[in-house]
Amino acid sequence: MCGIIGYAGKREDDSLEVLMNGLSGLEYRGYDSSGVAIANSTIEVFKREGHLSALEETLPARTVPGTVGIGHTRWSTHGEPSDRNAHPHTDCQDTVAVVHNGIIENFQSLRDDLAAAGHTFDSDTDTEVVPHLIEHELGNGASHTEAFRRAVDQLEGSYALAAVFEGDHTLYATRQESPLVVGLGEDGCYLASDVPAFIEYTDTVVYLEDGEFVQLDPSGMEVTDSQGNAVETTTDTIEWDPEDAGKSGYDHYMLKEIHEQPTAIRKCLRGRVQELEESVSIDSLSDVSEPGAVHFVACGTSYYAALYGARLFRERGIWAQAFLASEYDPGVIPVDDDTMVVGVTQSGETADTLSALRGANRAGVETIAVTNVVGSSAARACDHTLFIRAGPEIGVAATKTFASQQTALVLLSSALTGYDDPNLLRAFRKLPDQMQSILDRSRADAVAEAYRDADAYFVIGRGYTEPVAYEGALKMKEITYKHAEGFAAGELKHGPLALVTERTPVFALVSDNGMARKTIGNVKEVEARSAPVVAITDVPEMVDPYADFLLEVPKTHEWLMPILANVHLQLVAYSIANQLGRSIDMPRNLAKSVTVE
Ligand code: F6R
């Protein structure tokens, strides 16, 4: 939920810059406060409530000397967003500074004991117990390494932790159910919750495992297990271009990422669709056989992709259902030997999804992670992985990863069932260019101008477009802060129609899927209540008489139509939010990676 950056560098005066750059690459993980600490003969801490720009204003004009430092961008769980609750936190003597991502479940009892032993606390956070525990162990004569370990041994919960000590050029870190990755560069070593934090400095990374401890100094790293034994690590090379993690001239990451969708889809398809042989194959799943039933587990946007995926499997004759990960319990929901659980998670770090996948693992069920992040917790928790290859997504509202998830799920269902419809494979080939044509001819600004002051927005869809109706409404809520709701088109008349007025535009996804007439019937129902209608459709001639705006979708395979249609909804949500002056990349109260249940 929060973002951690650490740096043990070779040069004295670039630590602050590296830490601040790192935090800007992590701000999507939390942005209610941020801070940095640099260790030299003392520890200098700067922290501030608000976005990173607020922290920047508090920094001294001078360089802060020191080769080792840590930084943090926060999304509050314990204690309101404020200067005092911002990380890093220090002990009573300010000899150690700590940053933390996760939740320390037993912090209250630890805090009571420490307070009884004379420690004083400056914040309401669970994190602050850690520097005090370390201080206590130092008082007992422990070395920095031992004190850090002994403190961590007393913690229950989930954490990625990093600490620096005064007068020490080493950075100490560990993880338990929260991500941490080390970057090995020429000018030093980096540590972060996610790769965008240091991708401009190095693409050589080592993903830490739960329970591992790492010590970084300017010349390298040492990883040990929970018993202190040396661990042999594997080095990966990240294939993203550093430019991928920047805005490339767009006003917002979200807009950039919407425009990256044609490329993201091409990457997802690459090497997996053999059009000539009329087949789909996924290397990482070559030893997986056709399941008897599929349970999808996911949250938010990924859950809507999962709804779409479940429908694909059902259409191929395999019973499949999408579950909200937070509601999934394999102890209650029956699983058979041939059931497969598929976790759909962009970040691979969503706590609810990980918990559902771990439950499935305990129940002995075969698991697949459909994720964007190599080395993520979901990728490591599952038996198999299907990477969606969307590249880094920084905007908090998921866009390109949804398109890539849908694409990957079509591939997954095809690969596991041996389904090889040549029409589908041909349609895939055209999909990126068709998407580009929607981006090039968008009328979203005009729609936004007409309806940005509406009371609420409704989105209706049917069949494969139903999940996109939910996703379109979620996007609208997240970044416009206005009420929006998605409905199965047929459900409108069973209650929600009471909400429809001339001030509630209805976005109707009308697809040439054999059900267009029924959906147009629903469009007529809202039109009769004077609601403005924006039709997103590949049958414009059918819906034209009833629509105030027509947003056309090129003809494609029925299963791929929703992937294209969603681009219109993304662009409209973006334009409305932009015209209303919202904080698009970092909407209020939200964080990209939700690592608490
Ligand atoms: C919405 C959004 C969230 C995520 C959800 C799951 O725009 O981004 O709803 O989809 O938090 O995240 P992942 O896919 O990382 O598991």
Side-chain angles (χ1 to χ4, degrees):
M1 197 64 91
C2 308
I4 288 178
I5 174 78
Y7 178 53
K10 289 189 179 148
R11 287 198 302 266
E12 262 281 304
D13 49 8
D14 56 3
S15 307
L16 190 56
E17 188 187 322
V18 171
L19 296 177
M20 291 303 287
N21 285 346
L23 290 182
S24 86
L26 291 173
E27 216 182 353
Y28 68 90
R29 298 179 68 87
Y31 35 81
D32 61 37
S33 54
S34 56
V36 290
I38 293 183
N40 39 55
S41 54
T42 60
I43 292 186
E44 297 203 52
V45 177
F46 306 92
K47 51 190 196 173
R48 182 51 64 93
E49 179 190 348
H51 285 208
L52 201 53
S53 50
L55 176 64
E56 260 154 13
E57 283 163 21
T58 70
L59 294 176
R62 65 185 166 88
T63 44
V64 180
T67 54
V68 59
I70 49 179
H72 188 267
T73 179
R74 177 169 187 250
W75 192 90
S76 335
T77 53
H78 287 86
E80 54 170 22
S82 63
D83 289 355
R84 56 195 283 276
N85 286 336
H87 298 213
H89 291 287
T90 54
D91 61 317
C92 299
Q93 309 298 323
D94 291 339
T95 57
V96 55
V98 172
V99 289
H100 164 226
N101 173 22
I103 291 186
I104 296 167
E105 284 161 10
N106 60 336
F107 88 97
Q108 194 59 55
S109 63
L110 292 171
R111 186 171 166 134
D112 292 346
D113 292 348
L114 286 160
H119 290 259
T120 52
F121 288 83
D122 293 329
S123 79
D124 307 318
T125 65
D126 52 343
T127 306
E128 201 188 349
V129 295
V130 182
H132 289 280
L133 285 172
I134 292 173
E135 181 182 29
H136 181 76
E137 297 300 337
L138 291 174
N140 290 338
S143 66
H144 291 171
T145 304
E146 286 164 353
F148 184 69
R149 258 176 196 283
R150 286 188 205 161
V152 170
D153 282 349
Q154 297 172 61
L155 306 179
E156 289 165 18
S158 64
Y159 45 81
L161 284 165
V164 290
F165 294 81
E166 69 172 20
D168 185 346
H169 295 299
T170 305
L171 190 157
Y172 301 78
T174 187
R175 64 159 276 174
Q176 186 65 41
E177 294 179 14
S178 271
L180 266 189
V181 54
V182 172
L184 301 171
E186 281 178 9
D187 289 331
C189 293
Y190 307 81
L191 176 89
S193 307
D194 201 355
V195 172
F198 56 65
I199 187 72
E200 65 183 283
Y201 304 110
T202 181
D203 59 3
T204 308
V205 304
V206 173
Y207 292 98
L208 294 181
E209 301 288 341
D210 278 351
E212 286 180 351
F213 287 74
V214 64
Q215 289 188 197
L216 301 179
D217 65 34
S219 58
M221 67 163 193
E222 188 191 335
V223 180
T224 46
D225 66 14
S226 54
Q227 309 304 316
N229 305 311
V231 170
E232 215 167 293
T233 54
T234 315
T235 304
D236 284 305
T237 304
I238 297 294
E239 285 169 15
W240 304 339
D241 191 317
E243 188 60 14
D244 287 351
K247 280 194 206 152
S248 308
Y250 287 94
D251 288 344
H252 296 95
Y253 283 111
M254 181 180 177
L255 189 60
K256 176 194 169 217
E257 288 156 5
I258 290 172
H259 280 265
E260 283 173 344
Q261 291 178 113
T263 307
I265 288 177
R266 280 191 194 99
K267 286 189 182 164
C268 185
L269 294 174
R270 193 162 296 151
R272 292 168 169 172
V273 174
Q274 292 78 36
E275 214 185 308
L276 287 179
E277 291 99 63
E278 296 183 351
S279 69
V280 171
S281 60
I282 299 169
D283 285 350
S284 58
L285 304 181
S286 55
D287 57 344
V288 180
S289 39
E290 184 173 310
V294 182
H295 295 181
F296 286 94
V297 290
C299 309
T301 292
S302 297
Y303 171 68
Y304 301 138
L307 285 175
Y308 170 82
R311 196 177 182 99
L312 291 166
F313 272 93
R314 286 198 299 270
E315 181 136 353
R316 290 156 158 90
I318 294 180
W319 189 87
Q321 188 171 341
F323 294 88
L324 286 167
S326 53
E327 296 293 330
Y328 186 70
D329 179 355
V332 176
I333 298 158
V335 287
D336 293 326
D337 286 349
D338 59 356
T339 301
M340 175 180 285
V341 173
V342 179
V344 184
T345 166
Q346 180 285 123
S347 61
E349 302 296 345
T350 301
D352 288 324
T353 308
L354 289 173
S355 163
L357 287 170
R358 289 181 179 131
N361 284 340
R362 279 194 299 278
V365 182
E366 191 169 28
T367 49
I368 298 184
V370 178
T371 183
N372 195 28
V373 183
V374 176
S376 61
S377 301
R380 285 177 297 165
C382 288
D383 300 316
H384 313 278
T385 311
L386 168 54
F387 290 112
I388 64 169
R389 303 177 180 164
E393 188 177 70
I394 308 292
V396 163
T399 52
K400 65 173 175 173
T401 53
F402 182 64
S404 299
Q405 285 170 338
Q406 290 172 296
T407 307
L409 290 173
V410 178
L411 296 178
L412 178 71
S413 55
S414 297
L416 293 191
T417 59
Y419 185 95
D420 50 11
D421 175 3
N423 290 330
L424 175 66
L425 305 187
R426 269 195 294 277
F428 257 143
R429 179 156 45 86
K430 293 190 194 152
L431 193 66
D433 287 342
Q434 291 179 320
M435 195 173 262
Q436 190 61 51
S437 75
I438 293 177
L439 291 165
D440 293 344
R441 287 181 213 125
S442 168
R443 298 180 63 208
D445 284 344
V447 176
E449 252 160 58
Y451 303 131
R452 66 177 172 229
D453 296 321
D455 289 346
Y457 305 99
F458 301 120
V459 192
I460 57 172
R462 191 181 277 272
Y464 282 98
T465 61
E466 182 201 345
V468 169
Y470 303 137
E471 167 59 9
L474 179 64
K475 226 62 338 169
M476 201 77 98
K477 281 179 225 186
E478 285 183 289
I479 60 167
T480 70
Y481 309 160
K482 287 190 165 233
H483 183 67
E485 211 59 61
F487 298 108
E491 273 297 293
L492 209 55
K493 58 187 176 294
H494 296 292
L497 207 49
L499 297 171
V500 169
T501 70
E502 70 280 3
R503 292 192 50 80
T504 61
V506 176
F507 293 80
L509 295 152
V510 186
S511 166
D512 187 11
N513 57 5
M515 295 185 283
R517 282 195 190 289
K518 286 190 185 179
T519 312
I520 289 171
N522 306 126
V523 168
K524 288 184 194 164
E525 288 159 15
V526 300
E527 200 214 1
R529 273 84 186 170
S530 310
V533 173
V534 181
I536 300 170
T537 181
D538 55 0
V539 282
E541 64 291 350
M542 288 175 77
V543 72
D544 187 28
Y546 317 104
D548 297 272
F549 278 93
L550 271 181
L551 304 181
E552 286 192 38
V553 176
K555 291 272 184 217
T556 180
H557 190 284
E558 178 198 340
W559 298 347
L560 307 187
M561 187 276 183
I563 305 180
L564 294 176
N566 188 51
V567 178
H568 282 299
L569 289 169
Q570 291 171 338
L571 289 167
V572 171
Y574 173 85
S575 290
I576 293 178
N578 204 24
Q579 291 180 21
L580 293 175
R582 304 295 193 233
S583 167
I584 291 182
D585 284 332
M586 291 180 271
R588 70 181 177 207
N589 304 338
L590 300 180
K592 184 134 193 92
S593 185
V594 186
T595 54
V596 288
E597 282 182 62

